[in-house]
Amino acid sequence: MENTLIEMQFALDTFYFLVMGALVMWMAAGFSMLEAGLVRSKNTAEILTKNIGLFAIACTMYMVVGYDIMYGGGILLDGISGTGDKYSNAADFYFQVVFVATAMSIVSGAIAERMKLFAFFAFAVVFTAVIYPMEGAWTWNGDAVFGLFKLADLGFADFAGSGIVHMAGAVAALAGVLVLGARNGKYDAQGNSRAIPGANMPMATLGTFILWMGWFGFNGGSVLAMASKESANAVAMVFLNTNAAAAGGVIAALLLVKLLWGKADLTMALNGALAGLVAITAGPDTPSALEAALIGAVGGVLVVFSINVLDKVFKIDDPVGAISVHGVVGLWGLLAVPLTNSGASFSGQLAGAGTIFIWVFGTSMVLWLVLKAVMGIRVSEEEEFSGVDISECGLEAYPEFTK
Amino acid sequence: MENTLIEMQFALDTFYFLVMGALVMWMAAGFSMLEAGLVRSKNTAEILTKNIGLFAIACTMYMVVGYDIMYGGGILLDGISGTGDKYSNAADFYFQVVFVATAMSIVSGAIAERMKLFAFFAFAVVFTAVIYPMEGAWTWNGDAVFGLFKLADLGFADFAGSGIVHMAGAVAALAGVLVLGARNGKYDAQGNSRAIPGANMPMATLGTFILWMGWFGFNGGSVLAMASKESANAVAMVFLNTNAAAAGGVIAALLLVKLLWGKADLTMALNGALAGLVAITAGPDTPSALEAALIGAVGGVLVVFSINVLDKVFKIDDPVGAISVHGVVGLWGLLAVPLTNSGASFSGQLAGAGTIFIWVFGTSMVLWLVLKAVMGIRVSEEEEFSGVDISECGLEAYPEFTK
Amino acid sequence: MENTLIEMQFALDTFYFLVMGALVMWMAAGFSMLEAGLVRSKNTAEILTKNIGLFAIACTMYMVVGYDIMYGGGILLDGISGTGDKYSNAADFYFQVVFVATAMSIVSGAIAERMKLFAFFAFAVVFTAVIYPMEGAWTWNGDAVFGLFKLADLGFADFAGSGIVHMAGAVAALAGVLVLGARNGKYDAQGNSRAIPGANMPMATLGTFILWMGWFGFNGGSVLAMASKESANAVAMVFLNTNAAAAGGVIAALLLVKLLWGKADLTMALNGALAGLVAITAGPDTPSALEAALIGAVGGVLVVFSINVLDKVFKIDDPVGAISVHGVVGLWGLLAVPLTNSGASFSGQLAGAGTIFIWVFGTSMVLWLVLKAVMGIRVSEEEEFSGVDISECGLEAYPEFTK
Amino acid sequence: MKMVTAIIKPFKLDDVREALSEIGVSGITATEVKGFGRQKGHTELYRGAEYTVDFLPKVKLEIAIIADQVNSVVEAISTAAKSEGEGKIGDGKIFVSSLEQVLRIRTGETGSVAL
Amino acid sequence: MKMVTAIIKPFKLDDVREALSEIGVSGITATEVKGFGRQKGHTELYRGAEYTVDFLPKVKLEIAIIADQVNSVVEAISTAAKSEGEGKIGDGKIFVSSLEQVLRIRTGETGSVAL
Amino acid sequence: MKMVTAIIKPFKLDDVREALSEIGVSGITATEVKGFGRQKGHTELYRGAEYTVDFLPKVKLEIAIIADQVNSVVEAISTAAKSEGEGKIGDGKIFVSSLEQVLRIRTGETGSVAL
Ligand SMILES: Nc1ncnc2c1ncn2[C@@H]1O[C@H](COP(=O)(O)OP(=O)(O)O)[C@@H](O)[C@H]1O
Ligand SMILES: Nc1ncnc2c1ncn2[C@@H]1O[C@H](COP(=O)(O)OP(=O)(O)O)[C@@H](O)[C@H]1O
Ligand SMILES: Nc1ncnc2c1ncn2[C@@H]1O[C@H](COP(=O)(O)OP(=O)(O)O)[C@@H](O)[C@H]1O
């Protein structure tokens, strides 16, 4: 009977992983819809192709080699066959693989509307096979960074990946945008930023709600256990705090834009929600509900300023605001951990953020430059003008609507 | 080992609450998409902003004070810290908070296309902090109504909230619509109702499917326990009946409109599904599958007539049919309970419905009138003509499509 | 205490069924969005009506008589009252009923843009009440085919329904398309196929992601147990393989179309994902991750060729590619089972596929012809030209956008 | 015959159409156009960056009539399309040009009977 | 030179274009318009309330040609645009007006060579 | 008075508008049109079946002016609308026709003051 009980725990934990993983997988749809809503209609089919393609690539490359690099388990998962100690190792892989895809999804939005599709896919292959798994190994798997030092020893803590997943994705995106340059027409002759409105706000909002929902899996699953009172309580608090932070992010962003510009800019409310979620991701387990809401609210404020500063001051053209939402706010999330978690230190968080930044930015930059040299990463000016849907995908997203 | 077993029950019940709660949270996306599909394109971005904003407000205000009013637990949830007796109290909060948001979502559709955004948000703050929690305390928490009488003593039963959530939301909406008036152009000089078609039927349909799915959490989670044979069976029956009622609502509404008008009006099929769901919500645990289907079917018939009567006879302009779907059918749901549940009585149901109506209608009416006096609740005629997207949000939902 | 433990297993298994079932129910939204995105805007409201209507009909007819035919349980579920041995029989019904709806959903896409709505509904009534339940009884319930032979004895295995659900739906669709004929304008005077692009690619992509997510429930739930180490491991492997196959399908389809036509046709990537999912459905439990990915990839390749051959060579006009995705690839899925599962044989798979084909094609053909004679199944040429939205539903899907 | 072309505000379309049918005009072709004129567009805001929508949605009506009707048609349009009171910038313009020939495709009739 | 303006049913566009290219017309500008005419719109139903869509989608073609071609162009259009048999209400109209000058932007050519 | 009608490439709209406002043109009506001309459309691919999109999106500008301005307006447009270098097929056309009357709805003014 004891055995049966242990099996039940095994079963419940495995089930919990699978359900949480399915929610994270659902985030792939969220990113697709968010990005499809925030680009112009002439670039919509391409960004959809990019998103479903990158998800498939991430799932495949992580299976081939990424998971092995990050956690062991064998090339092509040959150590994974649906067994395991406390829960099925297949469930663990399933849960981990959707995280890789999330990191990769972040990149696609920032470089939208001007990049060659297959150059992006080539980047995705390397990022999901090597770049992400390496830094994942140093953090969540506790490996020493190039055998030199362990981040955990320095007091680094990133519960569900504000830094490891979100900031990493944003840093890869930043490198891409720097190599790629801004969209034609984004900056006028005087260098003034011009607004390029996205084509479909309901899609963007749907995407945000999908991400909000999926994030319960992202953070909730990162407790990594459910079948005891303690872990069940922990998962419940993580759900509660994740929701509170997202709500705080929306309210803060909405009030701020209303004060600044007199209008309740929907896109900022959406980014505020995501910023709240990114901000809490590094430590959804330790704050109280109020603290979580405030951490999210600071994220919501940050994202509004960050989007504007990156756009107007640094001329970094990020059509969906991914670098601000996931990068700047991801860093904030890391730095907020020591406020409520005595196990983490500011210096440790900075060390971790620095390590992730240097590794991901360096390798990504090299990779983008190689791709640029080898196959080119930017579509021609004419293709960009007519839209990448026609040039890359050969079809239109809304053939009957657009003009 | 007995302890481990008890912990397992705790864990399973907590997990169940979280999964059901995530499904209910998902309903926020459903309402957003439904409403975004049923308004005109010039008012779409605003209703999306309204929906994500109200969700954030509901989550925050219920955390600050609402949950404490309704169930105790302390201001700012200071009694909630992820502990609990049979399941984590954090999971309970998480499950309850998404219900408040549902009630509030109902209001946004009815007052669409003409209300000031921040007046709506102000209403949402009070509704989710006080109005809903008060009636929630009298019903689900069993408090005496103003210390006078207990509704449960009168034979009132509302399993998952046909009255407490849905009718309450619809009554608040009704008060709002009465204060606000109809949209310009909705009634011609002779008082004839004019159709104002919604802009995006796939969105509206998606919203309905999301709500249908989320409703399994709404009703299924309201069993409040899973970790025993009895409760597992109960949850399963609730799922089965919820689905049967929704199906009954669709079929009844579709056949009726086909008979009445010769056309299979999609919007009525959608409202029929929701009506079936609202109707069964007060008592999804006691009927057989056939009874559930019939309760839903009556809801589907009612909603078709109700929408037409409210529109044409009472000139109540409710762009999405929320007052009919959630109010009229919510009442039907309450009244249907005694048909299959001997624990409820008609008089008790009427008493409960009356109490909810008087409290919510009275307080909402006062609140709308105060808001009207203090800040105004209606946009200017010109803003309404050009669409509230530009005036309230400063952007367009479909900048490249609309004319 | 042993009792409590057994009850816990019961509860966990029941919960697992309900969660998996909710995911499968969600596939109804996926089919709706996929099909709504792949038809022209003038036929969008009708296909949405068709999808929500067929789901309601499937749920109702399977309750009335279908489940009884397939598994016993009594007319109108009078044997189902939320009890059961290892899990709640209500949960079993809930899980099974959404499968019927899936099979039926497959038909709606293939006959889109030209069929009378109520003729389709009439077909749905018979298909979900009798045609599907009969073949379901022969396969999953192990009944002898007309009392003659048992498919299981011949070595037939179809884990989650590549044949029983997907191919069956596709075969019914094929019969329908043959009786109905192609859309006007699909083939020119010389018989050349003309492309008729779908109106809304983000919707189609969303639908695909929904299906991908729902498929975890479809395949994962088909393990039919969770509350032991063995079954938990099995479910986890099924999730992992399902995901790997879908990813394989996307990559194979994308690479193939890029090679063939130089463009990354999004619609083929979407069909590739679905093909991967259909392919793995007959046996997601036995392959390794790599094998699953390859089975999916073959599905992705097959679907591209099949769509083109059916369209150009056989002049079978299937607007969404349902016959290829679910039929041709469903057959491939069946045939792939013996490659990794020694319990199945090629001859058994062929016998099963043949039985399903003959039964479903024969009965469907008769039914379509009867409907054609009795009420007509095709709208008039003028109605087809103006779009079935107006003629069947009386409204437009996008009244403000289309031209 | 003459072709009268009027650029009006979109929400005046119903009024203008009614006014025209009252004086017996039975055929109109309407097009959605964008107008640049004295009336300036408005500023929208998207993620903190302002942008000007400097065209304004207008409706263009084309009405073919016999020469005798020009004055009554122009007056009907201008009365119906003018904003209440003094009129407002952006109320629109009416252009008249000459039309040499008209043909009704259905019947092949030409000239004023074809209008 | 003349400007021929034709209002036709949208689904006749391909036929008309073909007919025109057969007689050597190489340039056409098409616009989606809404027509109000003898042909009445249809009634739609939305949530039990009827409403009339009283404009009909039409396509307007503008074709600049030399004067000599007017008759052949008008005939080509009217033949191709006419509904089978007797023709149907709503088949459309053809208007001809005079054109004073034409210029091809690319080359600066003017007059009939610019057409 | 004259009516100048120009068919141009959509992305030249801003340049043309600027060029026109520099020479004092204050009113323009723009319409999205589809052009069939020498410039051929492109082929799209949908599920393996090719199809040709043989119309090209163009913008039609209508500008009513006094006769004296015709030359400067035509030149401003053609300079601004011409593709860099030699010009490209599809750069568009300019048509000029005569305008008999103009009326500003707001004020009732007619003739050149109404422009
Ligand atoms: N010279 C012109 N040529 C063509 N269209 C014009 C001209 N002037 C004005 N329009 C059209 O008329 C509309 C109204 O003109 P506007 O100058 O804004 O107002 P008003 O006519 O009241 O002075 C413009 O938006 C434009 O579409
Ligand atoms: N007098 C007119 N001026 C401008 N357009 C017209 C006129 N009469 C008809 N039209 C256009 O021609 C279309 C067809 O006209 P209609 O009266 O319906 O049919 P028919 O020409 O066969 O009598 C109308 O929809 C409208 O766009
Ligand atoms: N004869 C014509 N009548 C009306 N519109 C024309 C005519 N010729 C050309 N156009 C318009 O001008 C556009 C450009 O013409 P095109 O022949 O492609 O290039 P180009 O003028 O440089 O030779 C066409 O797309 C069409 O809209």
Side-chain angles (χ1 to χ4, degrees):
Chain A
M1 216 177 88
E2 184 158 357
N3 238 348
T4 322
L5 190 54
I6 291 171
E7 287 211 13
M8 276 287 292
Q9 290 178 310
F10 183 97
L12 180 56
D13 275 338
T14 299
F15 186 47
Y16 149 82
F17 265 111
L18 296 174
V19 173
M20 296 296 114
L23 285 174
V24 185
M25 176 268 156
W26 185 222
M27 291 172 74
F31 282 110
S32 301
M33 295 302 115
L34 179 67
E35 295 174 11
L38 291 179
V39 299
R40 283 166 292 177
S41 56
K42 65 181 178 181
N43 299 317
T44 303
E46 196 259 0
I47 206 153
L48 293 166
T49 310
K50 207 181 266 170
N51 269 281
I52 196 161
L54 77 87
F55 188 79
I57 288 170
C59 290
T60 303
M61 293 316 297
Y62 198 65
M63 173 191 83
V64 172
V65 60
Y67 187 76
D68 186 52
I69 290 177
M70 188 154 162
Y71 291 113
I75 301 288
L76 284 169
L77 302 188
D78 67 5
I80 303 281
S81 51
T83 53
D85 190 20
K86 302 190 73 172
Y87 43 78
S88 172
N89 56 15
D92 185 64
F93 173 78
Y94 178 75
F95 184 68
Q96 296 294 339
V97 74
V98 285
F99 274 63
V100 198
T102 300
M104 194 60 224
S105 292
I106 293 166
V107 185
S108 63
I111 51 79
E113 304 204 301
R114 58 216 195 269
M115 184 178 272
K116 284 189 182 173
L117 181 61
F118 279 80
F120 176 81
F121 284 157
F123 184 87
V125 167
V126 181
F127 184 85
T128 60
V130 181
I131 299 180
Y132 171 86
M134 287 293 287
E135 52 110 5
W138 300 333
T139 48
W140 281 330
N141 201 43
D143 290 4
V145 179
F146 291 119
L148 300 174
F149 59 94
K150 293 198 177 187
L151 285 169
D153 297 346
L154 305 176
F156 175 72
D158 186 1
F159 188 81
S162 287
I164 300 165
V165 179
H166 293 278
M167 205 185 78
V171 168
L174 175 64
V177 171
L178 291 177
V179 177
L180 195 59
R183 288 168 290 174
N184 276 323
K186 174 63 195 167
Y187 298 102
D188 67 13
Q190 289 74 48
N192 297 316
S193 170
R194 287 164 46 169
I196 301 182
N200 195 329
M201 291 303 123
M203 278 293 160
T205 306
L206 175 64
T208 303
F209 272 116
I210 291 174
L211 288 168
W212 192 324
M213 188 200 202
W215 228 288
F216 294 121
F218 200 92
N219 287 357
S222 294
V223 174
L224 305 181
M226 170 51 94
S228 72
K229 190 162 178 174
E230 196 194 332
S231 44
N233 275 326
V235 176
M237 275 309 291
V238 166
F239 268 63
L240 191 163
N241 283 339
T242 300
N243 196 49
V250 171
I251 293 175
L254 261 182
L255 287 179
L256 181 62
V257 294
K258 180 76 180 173
L259 284 175
L260 287 177
W261 304 311
K263 302 278 178 177
D265 182 335
L266 169 62
T267 63
M268 286 300 188
L270 304 181
N271 278 344
L274 299 179
L277 291 162
V278 170
I280 201 64
T281 292
D285 52 338
T286 48
S288 71
L290 179 64
E291 288 163 350
L294 293 176
I295 289 170
V298 172
V301 168
L302 270 178
V303 85
V304 173
F305 287 116
S306 172
I307 284 175
N308 274 275
V309 170
L310 289 192
D311 178 15
K312 291 180 194 154
V313 180
F314 294 105
K315 316 270 182 239
I316 289 173
D317 179 18
D318 173 358
V320 306
I323 298 170
S324 295
V325 168
H326 300 276
V328 175
V329 179
L331 181 60
W332 155 241
L334 285 180
L335 297 180
V337 177
L339 300 177
T340 64
N341 180 347
S342 56
S345 68
F346 279 105
S347 57
Q349 298 302 87
L350 286 173
T355 304
I356 295 169
F357 185 91
I358 292 168
W359 165 252
V360 177
F361 190 79
T363 50
S364 297
M365 186 54 103
V366 169
L367 183 51
W368 288 123
L369 290 171
V370 168
L371 289 169
K372 186 173 175 178
V374 172
M375 63 193 291
I377 61 172
R378 185 151 185 158
V379 299
S380 74
E381 204 168 319
E382 205 181 311
E383 288 169 336
E384 188 178 342
F385 181 77
S386 331
V388 286
D389 282 5
I390 298 294
S391 63
E392 299 294 283
C393 301
L395 48 73
E396 294 172 59
Y398 309 101
E400 301 182 46
F401 300 163
T402 36
K403 304 184 167 182
Chain B
M1 213 177 88
E2 184 156 357
N3 239 348
T4 322
L5 190 56
I6 292 172
E7 288 211 14
M8 277 287 291
Q9 289 178 310
F10 183 97
L12 180 57
D13 275 338
T14 299
F15 185 47
Y16 150 81
F17 265 111
L18 295 175
V19 173
M20 297 295 114
L23 286 174
V24 185
M25 176 270 155
W26 186 222
M27 292 172 73
F31 282 110
S32 300
M33 295 302 115
L34 179 67
E35 296 174 10
L38 291 179
V39 300
R40 284 165 291 179
S41 56
K42 65 181 178 181
N43 298 317
T44 302
E46 197 259 359
I47 208 153
L48 293 166
T49 310
K50 208 181 264 168
N51 269 281
I52 197 162
L54 77 86
F55 187 79
I57 289 170
C59 290
T60 304
M61 294 315 298
Y62 199 65
M63 172 191 85
V64 172
V65 61
Y67 187 75
D68 187 51
I69 291 177
M70 190 155 161
Y71 291 114
I75 302 287
L76 284 170
L77 303 189
D78 66 6
I80 303 282
S81 50
T83 53
D85 191 18
K86 301 190 74 174
Y87 43 78
S88 171
N89 55 15
D92 185 64
F93 172 78
Y94 177 75
F95 183 68
Q96 296 293 339
V97 74
V98 284
F99 274 62
V100 198
T102 301
M104 194 61 224
S105 291
I106 294 164
V107 185
S108 64
I111 51 79
E113 303 204 300
R114 58 216 196 269
M115 183 178 273
K116 284 189 182 172
L117 181 61
F118 278 81
F120 176 81
F121 283 157
F123 183 87
V125 167
V126 182
F127 184 85
T128 60
V130 181
I131 298 179
Y132 171 86
M134 287 292 289
E135 52 110 6
W138 300 333
T139 48
W140 281 331
N141 201 44
D143 290 4
V145 179
F146 291 120
L148 300 174
F149 59 95
K150 293 197 176 187
L151 285 170
D153 297 347
L154 304 176
F156 175 73
D158 186 2
F159 188 82
S162 286
I164 300 165
V165 178
H166 293 277
M167 204 186 78
V171 168
L174 175 64
V177 171
L178 291 177
V179 177
L180 194 59
R183 288 168 291 173
N184 275 324
K186 173 64 195 168
Y187 298 102
D188 68 14
Q190 289 76 47
N192 298 316
S193 170
R194 286 164 44 171
I196 302 183
N200 196 329
M201 291 303 124
M203 279 291 160
T205 306
L206 174 64
T208 303
F209 273 115
I210 292 174
L211 289 167
W212 192 324
M213 189 200 202
W215 228 288
F216 294 121
F218 199 92
N219 287 357
S222 294
V223 175
L224 306 181
M226 171 51 93
S228 73
K229 189 162 180 176
E230 196 194 332
S231 44
N233 275 326
V235 176
M237 275 309 291
V238 167
F239 267 64
L240 190 162
N241 283 339
T242 299
N243 196 50
V250 171
I251 293 174
L254 261 182
L255 287 179
L256 181 61
V257 294
K258 180 75 179 173
L259 285 175
L260 288 177
W261 304 312
K263 301 277 178 178
D265 183 335
L266 169 62
T267 65
M268 285 300 186
L270 304 181
N271 278 345
L274 299 179
L277 291 162
V278 170
I280 201 65
T281 293
D285 51 339
T286 48
S288 70
L290 179 64
E291 288 164 349
L294 293 176
I295 289 171
V298 172
V301 169
L302 270 177
V303 85
V304 172
F305 288 116
S306 172
I307 285 175
N308 275 275
V309 169
L310 289 191
D311 178 16
K312 291 180 191 153
V313 181
F314 294 106
K315 317 269 181 240
I316 288 173
D317 179 19
D318 173 357
V320 306
I323 297 169
S324 295
V325 168
H326 300 277
V328 174
V329 179
L331 181 60
W332 155 242
L334 285 180
L335 296 180
V337 177
L339 300 177
T340 64
N341 180 348
S342 57
S345 69
F346 280 105
S347 57
Q349 298 302 86
L350 286 172
T355 305
I356 294 169
F357 185 91
I358 292 168
W359 164 253
V360 176
F361 190 79
T363 50
S364 297
M365 186 53 104
V366 170
L367 184 51
W368 289 122
L369 290 171
V370 168
L371 289 170
K372 186 175 176 178
V374 172
M375 62 193 292
I377 62 173
R378 184 152 186 157
V379 298
S380 74
E381 203 167 320
E382 206 182 309
E383 287 169 337
E384 188 177 342
F385 181 77
S386 331
V388 287
D389 282 5
I390 297 294
S391 64
E392 299 294 282
C393 301
L395 48 74
E396 294 172 59
Y398 308 101
E400 301 181 47
F401 301 162
T402 36
K403 305 183 166 184
Chain C
M1 216 176 88
E2 184 158 358
N3 238 348
T4 321
L5 190 56
I6 292 170
E7 287 213 12
M8 275 288 291
Q9 290 178 310
F10 183 97
L12 180 56
D13 275 338
T14 299
F15 185 47
Y16 150 81
F17 265 112
L18 296 174
V19 173
M20 297 295 114
L23 285 175
V24 185
M25 176 269 155
W26 186 220
M27 291 172 74
F31 282 110
S32 301
M33 294 303 115
L34 179 67
E35 295 173 10
L38 291 179
V39 300
R40 283 165 293 178
S41 57
K42 65 182 179 181
N43 298 318
T44 303
E46 197 258 1
I47 207 153
L48 294 166
T49 311
K50 206 181 267 169
N51 270 282
I52 196 162
L54 78 86
F55 188 79
I57 288 171
C59 290
T60 304
M61 293 316 297
Y62 199 65
M63 173 191 83
V64 172
V65 61
Y67 187 76
D68 186 52
I69 291 176
M70 188 154 163
Y71 292 113
I75 302 287
L76 284 169
L77 304 188
D78 67 5
I80 304 280
S81 51
T83 53
D85 191 18
K86 301 190 74 175
Y87 43 79
S88 172
N89 55 14
D92 185 63
F93 172 78
Y94 177 75
F95 183 68
Q96 296 293 340
V97 75
V98 285
F99 274 62
V100 199
T102 300
M104 194 60 225
S105 292
I106 293 165
V107 185
S108 63
I111 52 78
E113 304 203 301
R114 57 216 196 269
M115 183 177 272
K116 283 190 182 172
L117 182 61
F118 278 82
F120 177 81
F121 285 155
F123 184 87
V125 167
V126 182
F127 184 84
T128 60
V130 181
I131 298 178
Y132 171 87
M134 288 292 288
E135 53 110 6
W138 300 332
T139 48
W140 282 330
N141 201 44
D143 290 4
V145 179
F146 291 120
L148 299 174
F149 58 93
K150 294 198 176 186
L151 285 170
D153 296 347
L154 304 177
F156 176 72
D158 187 1
F159 189 82
S162 286
I164 301 165
V165 179
H166 292 278
M167 204 185 77
V171 168
L174 175 65
V177 171
L178 292 177
V179 177
L180 195 58
R183 289 168 291 173
N184 275 323
K186 175 62 195 168
Y187 298 103
D188 68 15
Q190 289 75 46
N192 298 317
S193 170
R194 286 164 45 168
I196 302 183
N200 195 330
M201 290 305 124
M203 279 291 159
T205 306
L206 175 64
T208 303
F209 273 116
I210 292 174
L211 289 167
W212 192 325
M213 188 199 202
W215 228 289
F216 294 120
F218 199 92
N219 287 357
S222 294
V223 175
L224 305 180
M226 170 51 93
S228 72
K229 189 162 180 174
E230 195 194 332
S231 44
N233 275 327
V235 176
M237 274 310 291
V238 167
F239 267 63
L240 190 163
N241 283 339
T242 301
N243 196 50
V250 171
I251 292 174
L254 262 182
L255 286 179
L256 182 62
V257 294
K258 180 74 180 174
L259 285 175
L260 288 177
W261 304 311
K263 302 278 178 178
D265 183 335
L266 169 62
T267 65
M268 285 300 186
L270 303 180
N271 278 344
L274 299 179
L277 291 162
V278 171
I280 199 65
T281 292
D285 51 338
T286 46
S288 70
L290 178 64
E291 288 164 349
L294 293 176
I295 290 171
V298 172
V301 169
L302 271 177
V303 86
V304 172
F305 287 116
S306 173
I307 285 176
N308 274 276
V309 169
L310 289 192
D311 178 16
K312 291 180 193 155
V313 180
F314 294 105
K315 316 268 181 243
I316 289 173
D317 180 19
D318 173 358
V320 307
I323 297 170
S324 295
V325 169
H326 301 276
V328 175
V329 179
L331 181 60
W332 155 242
L334 286 180
L335 296 180
V337 176
L339 300 178
T340 64
N341 180 347
S342 57
S345 68
F346 280 105
S347 56
Q349 298 302 86
L350 286 172
T355 305
I356 294 170
F357 185 91
I358 293 168
W359 165 252
V360 176
F361 190 80
T363 50
S364 296
M365 185 55 103
V366 170
L367 184 51
W368 288 123
L369 290 171
V370 168
L371 288 170
K372 185 175 176 177
V374 172
M375 63 194 291
I377 62 172
R378 184 152 186 157
V379 299
S380 74
E381 203 168 321
E382 205 182 311
E383 288 169 338
E384 189 178 340
F385 181 77
S386 332
V388 288
D389 282 4
I390 297 294
S391 64
E392 299 295 282
C393 301
L395 47 73
E396 295 172 58
Y398 309 100
E400 302 181 45
F401 300 161
T402 35
K403 303 181 169 185
Chain D
M1 290 165 296
K2 301 288 173 188
M3 178 62 87
V4 176
T5 302
I7 314 289
I8 61 168
K9 291 190 168 168
F11 73 110
K12 289 290 187 183
L13 176 59
D14 280 344
D15 296 350
V16 171
R17 213 157 44 83
E18 234 160 78
L20 286 171
S21 77
E22 266 166 33
I23 59 165
V25 169
S26 64
I28 308 175
T29 298
T31 314
E32 278 153 2
V33 298
K34 300 168 178 176
F36 303 86
R38 248 154 268 231
Q39 187 194 3
K40 292 293 160 247
H42 59 282
T43 301
E44 298 191 9
L45 197 71
Y46 183 77
R47 306 166 76 76
E50 285 202 347
Y51 68 108
T52 317
V53 177
D54 49 11
F55 59 83
L56 290 153
K58 302 277 174 189
V59 168
K60 177 168 88 173
L61 301 179
E62 288 167 304
I63 307 131
I65 44 170
I66 52 171
D68 293 356
Q69 281 193 293
V70 166
N71 286 342
S72 64
V73 164
V74 167
E75 203 188 301
I77 297 175
S78 62
T79 311
K82 193 169 162 179
S83 297
E84 274 162 61
E86 294 279 285
K88 280 206 190 133
I89 283 199
D91 278 352
K93 297 251 154 79
I94 305 178
F95 305 113
V96 183
S97 54
S98 95
L99 195 57
E100 299 188 347
Q101 201 187 314
V102 178
L103 176 137
R104 167 173 289 131
I105 291 172
R106 166 166 52 102
T107 57
E109 292 159 295
T110 55
S112 55
V113 294
L115 289 174
Chain E
M1 289 164 297
K2 301 288 171 186
M3 178 63 86
V4 176
T5 302
I7 315 287
I8 60 168
K9 292 191 169 167
F11 74 111
K12 290 288 187 185
L13 177 58
D14 280 344
D15 296 349
V16 171
R17 215 156 43 83
E18 233 160 78
L20 287 172
S21 75
E22 267 166 32
I23 59 164
V25 169
S26 64
I28 308 175
T29 298
T31 315
E32 277 153 2
V33 298
K34 300 168 178 177
F36 303 87
R38 248 154 269 232
Q39 186 194 5
K40 292 294 159 246
H42 59 280
T43 301
E44 299 191 10
L45 198 73
Y46 183 78
R47 305 167 76 76
E50 285 200 348
Y51 68 108
T52 319
V53 177
D54 49 11
F55 61 84
L56 290 152
K58 301 278 174 191
V59 168
K60 178 169 86 173
L61 300 178
E62 289 168 303
I63 306 131
I65 43 170
I66 54 169
D68 294 355
Q69 280 192 294
V70 165
N71 287 342
S72 63
V73 164
V74 167
E75 203 187 302
I77 297 175
S78 62
T79 311
K82 194 169 161 178
S83 297
E84 275 163 58
E86 295 279 285
K88 281 207 189 132
I89 284 198
D91 279 351
K93 298 252 154 78
I94 305 177
F95 305 113
V96 182
S97 55
S98 94
L99 195 56
E100 299 188 346
Q101 201 187 313
V102 179
L103 177 138
R104 166 173 289 130
I105 291 171
R106 167 165 51 103
T107 57
E109 291 160 296
T110 55
S112 54
V113 294
L115 289 174
Chain F
M1 288 165 297
K2 301 288 172 188
M3 177 64 86
V4 176
T5 302
I7 315 288
I8 60 168
K9 292 192 166 164
F11 73 111
K12 290 288 188 184
L13 176 58
D14 280 343
D15 295 350
V16 171
R17 213 157 44 82
E18 233 160 79
L20 286 171
S21 77
E22 266 166 32
I23 60 164
V25 169
S26 63
I28 308 175
T29 298
T31 315
E32 276 153 4
V33 298
K34 299 168 179 177
F36 304 87
R38 246 155 269 231
Q39 187 193 5
K40 292 293 162 247
H42 59 281
T43 301
E44 299 192 8
L45 197 73
Y46 183 78
R47 305 166 77 73
E50 285 202 348
Y51 67 110
T52 318
V53 177
D54 49 10
F55 61 83
L56 290 152
K58 302 276 174 190
V59 168
K60 178 168 87 174
L61 300 179
E62 288 167 305
I63 307 132
I65 44 169
I66 53 171
D68 293 356
Q69 281 192 294
V70 166
N71 287 342
S72 63
V73 164
V74 167
E75 203 189 300
I77 298 176
S78 62
T79 311
K82 194 169 162 178
S83 297
E84 274 162 60
E86 296 278 284
K88 280 207 190 131
I89 283 199
D91 280 351
K93 297 251 155 80
I94 304 178
F95 306 112
V96 183
S97 57
S98 96
L99 195 58
E100 299 188 347
Q101 203 185 313
V102 179
L103 175 138
R104 166 173 289 131
I105 291 171
R106 167 165 51 102
T107 56
E109 292 160 296
T110 55
S112 54
V113 295
L115 289 173

